[in-house]
Amino acid sequence: MTTSISFNCLPFEKLSLQELYDSMALRQEVFVVEQNCPYLDADGKDEAGHHLLGYNTDGKLMAYTRLLPPGISYPDYASIGRVVTSPSARRTGAGKILMRESIGWCARLYGEVPIKISAQVYLTHFYESFGFEKVGAEYLEDDIPHVGMVLG
């Protein structure tokens, strides 16, 4: 079962108040509440990035990523972060569509630069399916095991 999602990619200053609210609400729903991980989500990087928002036909935000140019999270890499799908979009293929869109938008926005992510360890096989490779040792980020991964 796949879901119909329409994507739009916007710099921070072009987000409507509703889009900003939707993205922050989804990020908090999953990262803070579902994963029981209290952390400061508003980390000062949102303003420097582009925000990929995937809405369904009912106008509900189903998928989201934050795309950052080189020099914000990593000196020599663009970055895809805050990768999140709505619980109601899980097992529909939305996550795969989201990552393909995110990788494509990084190339359009930042050129052919490598992309680095901080991946939750349990998702490494998912990211490897897009060509990402593990770099470095595992580490804890907000008490969740992560590993660096690079594409390109």
Side-chain angles (χ1 to χ4, degrees):
M1 169 173 115
T2 58
T3 187
S4 177
I5 298 177
S6 176
F7 286 93
N8 199 9
C9 188
L10 299 166
F12 182 80
E13 64 274 5
K14 298 283 185 181
L15 291 172
S16 70
L17 288 177
Q18 187 64 55
E19 289 164 330
L20 178 61
Y21 180 85
D22 292 346
S23 64
M24 297 305 284
L26 180 58
R27 286 162 48 168
Q28 291 172 32
E29 175 187 8
V30 173
F31 299 134
V32 178
V33 177
E34 182 181 295
Q35 295 181 357
N36 192 27
C37 184
Y39 75 108
L40 185 60
D41 181 44
D43 60 0
K45 297 179 183 178
D46 287 304
E47 298 91 335
H50 283 78
H51 302 266
L52 184 63
L53 303 117
Y55 285 90
N56 70 8
T57 54
D58 294 329
K60 181 179 180 199
L61 184 63
M62 303 302 285
Y64 169 89
T65 55
R66 178 176 73 180
L67 312 176
L68 297 173
I72 303 299
S73 286
Y74 307 102
D76 301 316
Y77 300 92
S79 179
I80 300 170
R82 302 296 197 262
V83 179
V84 62
T85 57
S86 169
S88 63
R90 306 243 173 94
R91 302 197 188 290
T92 66
K96 290 179 182 178
I97 296 166
L98 175 64
M99 279 309 296
R100 281 194 295 271
E101 288 281 332
S102 298
I103 292 165
W105 273 103
C106 272
R108 283 190 285 274
L109 293 167
Y110 311 129
E112 293 301 320
V113 298
I115 300 168
K116 188 170 186 179
I117 62 173
S118 178
Q120 292 185 9
V121 169
Y122 85 96
L123 290 169
T124 54
H125 293 299
F126 173 75
Y127 292 117
E128 286 170 340
S129 73
F130 298 97
F132 283 90
E133 297 177 357
K134 290 188 238 181
V135 294
E138 290 183 18
Y139 54 91
L140 286 179
E141 186 173 309
D142 301 311
D143 290 326
I144 298 173
H146 282 71
V147 66
M149 298 188 81
V150 171
L151 176 65

